Amino acid sequence: EIEALREVGKRSRVAKVDVAQKLPPILTLLSNANITTRKSKIEIEYHIESRSDIEKIIITNNGVNIDTQRALGQVGSDKRVTIPLIVGRNKIVIRAKNQYAMSQPLEVMAIRRGSKADIFKPTLYILGVGVKRYKISSYNLRYPDKDVEAISELFKQQEGGIYKSVKSKLFLNEEATRDNILDGLSWIEREVTQKDVVILFFAGHGENDSNNNYYFLSHDGNRENLRRTALNWREIKDTVQNLVGKIILMVDTCHSGNVMGGKRGDVTSAIKSITDSGRGAIIMSASTGRGYSLENDRWGHGAFTKAIIEGIGHFKADLVGTDNSISIKELDTYVTQRVKELTNGEQKPTTIIPEGIEGSFVLAVEK
């Protein structure tokens, strides 16, 4: 063994790596980190350093993308950016990405004073896709269509409370073709403003191809020909990256069943592709890794949807109990624990809340 290792050492060549050259950009704040004002806009100054070319700078306010600058080249200078403010809290996050890595976030908290009349109620847009019945019947499931309908109805009840209005498009079973889903994604991109909230809910089967690309199986999907028949996750990712409102992506695509012959898709890398993009989307996944997403006739839903219905519809996720509201963090805590109880620990949901969005972001109020 010693002689073999010595021989390998003679033949191997170790390439020299300039570690400093591959460091992420460094951002330094030059203005105040905490600002209180009555103005509708503020200016933020910062300095950016990078050993390699900057590919893009991403700026979000309360998790909403308000500016993305691309292909900036090498940067080693002061920058100034104007940020529009809403009444109340504005958590502004600036990040820069070079070809190697994303920088640490630069954060500014700005409080804009104003009267109650100045507070804007957002519109909630819901795009729901649920496939119980597939063109290939052996793929069939039990409750994805009912899950999508239930979540849509749940949030429609919030109209006139936290949301000015709730608008939805649902594609269920035979209507959930790849073309219709793409039309729905285009509808969301056209309609949403930066003050609005978006819920995207996909329930059905998902699968990875041989190159680990993730696909959602639309009604006409065929696992033997994913590229031509199923919805590439890239379409969902591109929509999320292009939207300017607050985004909540709910994914329930790792259902058990004989569709995959014991094999099921792993949505982990698909979710990571969105988080790595720097886009401030909240992602709630019904299961993690290669875990199953479970359904049960006693619940009449999947475990994930059942927990959300209880949490918001029955207001069981109001863990604080004094503010008559449910935050994303409260919903995450309740859903995680409740799904564990319903499935005896077999299913483990996960929620990713990006740095630009605070856990206190309110999803629902008691009416």
Side-chain angles (χ1 to χ4, degrees):
E1 289 183 13
I2 294 173
E3 186 60 32
L5 290 171
R6 186 179 294 118
E7 188 65 24
V8 170
K10 292 178 182 177
R11 297 179 183 180
S12 300
R13 294 183 179 180
V14 179
K16 291 183 179 180
V17 177
D18 186 349
V19 176
Q21 190 69 24
K22 296 190 177 184
L23 291 174
I26 298 174
L27 305 183
T28 305
L29 184 64
L30 301 179
S31 53
N32 292 333
N34 294 282
I35 300 170
T36 300
T37 182
R38 287 188 172 272
K39 296 181 179 179
S40 61
K41 298 178 181 179
I42 60 170
E43 286 193 338
I44 296 175
E45 292 184 76
Y46 65 97
H47 184 81
I48 180 169
E49 283 287 347
S50 177
R51 295 287 191 94
S52 58
D53 287 353
I54 298 293
E55 293 183 347
K56 61 182 176 180
I57 295 175
I58 303 167
I59 305 173
T60 62
N61 185 359
N62 292 335
V64 176
N65 189 19
I66 59 175
D67 191 15
T68 300
Q69 305 165 26
R70 299 182 183 277
L72 302 176
Q74 281 198 305
V75 177
S77 60
D78 296 348
K79 301 276 290 179
R80 183 190 298 263
V81 61
T82 301
I83 306 293
L85 302 178
I86 62 170
V87 174
R89 293 164 62 87
N90 295 260
K91 186 176 181 180
I92 300 148
V93 177
I94 303 174
R95 279 170 286 200
K97 183 181 184 302
N98 60 24
Q99 59 184 306
Y100 300 111
M102 185 80 74
S103 71
Q104 289 294 311
L106 196 66
E107 297 184 3
V108 173
M109 179 60 72
I111 306 296
R112 180 185 170 191
R113 303 295 187 192
S115 66
K116 289 186 177 179
D118 294 326
I119 299 176
F120 179 90
K121 282 188 177 182
T123 295
L124 172 62
Y125 289 89
I126 302 172
L127 176 63
V129 182
V131 189
K132 166 188 174 179
R133 294 188 302 273
Y134 284 88
K135 192 172 182 179
I136 300 175
S137 60
S138 61
Y139 296 1
N140 287 352
L141 294 165
R142 286 181 288 179
Y143 295 111
D145 52 352
K146 289 187 177 180
D147 287 351
V148 169
E149 288 178 318
I151 294 297
S152 176
E153 183 59 34
L154 193 66
F155 282 97
K156 279 184 178 179
Q157 294 172 13
Q158 292 293 316
E159 188 170 60
I162 190 172
Y163 305 110
K164 179 176 65 175
S165 63
V166 178
K167 301 179 181 181
S168 65
K169 277 187 184 293
L170 306 184
F171 297 108
L172 308 176
N173 300 317
E174 290 79 9
E175 293 182 349
T177 62
R178 186 175 69 163
D179 287 347
N180 282 348
I181 298 170
L182 290 173
D183 287 343
L185 293 172
S186 296
W187 168 71
I188 286 287
E189 288 188 16
R190 287 195 309 269
E191 296 294 324
V192 174
T193 71
Q194 77 173 60
K195 295 182 179 180
D196 296 325
V197 178
V198 179
I199 293 177
L200 304 174
F201 186 20
F202 289 83
H205 280 302
E207 184 177 1
N208 300 83
D209 66 11
S210 58
N211 295 317
N212 204 37
N213 298 308
Y214 194 72
Y215 288 82
F216 176 77
L217 262 68
S218 49
H219 167 74
D220 47 346
N222 185 334
R223 62 182 293 250
E224 303 301 330
N225 195 353
L226 292 172
R227 181 176 291 182
R228 284 184 175 274
T229 65
L231 182 73
N232 193 311
W233 180 267
R234 184 176 60 250
E235 302 287 355
I236 301 171
K237 174 188 169 184
D238 289 347
T239 297
V240 169
Q241 288 181 313
N242 291 334
L243 289 177
V244 292
K246 269 201 181 76
I247 308 155
I248 302 144
L249 175 59
M250 297 181 177
V251 185
D252 192 356
T253 60
C254 297
H255 291 273
S256 59
N258 64 357
V259 57
M260 304 306 173
K263 174 188 174 186
R264 64 270 194 196
D266 183 356
V267 73
T268 305
S269 60
I271 290 174
K272 189 173 184 295
S273 70
I274 292 180
T275 58
D276 285 351
S277 73
R279 185 65 183 92
I282 297 168
I283 303 175
M284 299 186 72
S285 178
S287 56
T288 56
R290 293 188 174 273
Y292 280 131
S293 181
L294 303 178
E295 302 175 309
N296 193 298
D297 292 336
R298 288 187 293 108
W299 314 326
H301 291 286
F304 179 65
T305 298
K306 169 72 171 171
I308 294 175
I309 292 171
E310 289 181 356
I312 295 179
H314 303 163
F315 230 68
K316 291 184 178 181
D318 184 17
L319 304 180
V320 175
T322 57
D323 57 357
N324 296 320
S325 67
I326 296 174
S327 69
I328 183 62
K329 191 62 180 176
E330 286 178 309
L331 183 62
D332 170 35
T333 301
Y334 180 82
V335 168
T336 300
Q337 183 60 36
R338 184 58 176 145
V339 169
K340 180 181 177 181
E341 292 172 356
L342 288 169
T343 65
N344 294 317
E346 290 185 46
Q347 183 175 333
K348 298 177 178 63
T350 185
T351 298
I352 299 172
I353 303 174
E355 292 170 340
I357 298 178
E358 296 191 23
S360 57
F361 165 53
V362 175
L363 282 177
V365 295
E366 192 168 25
K367 297 180 68 177

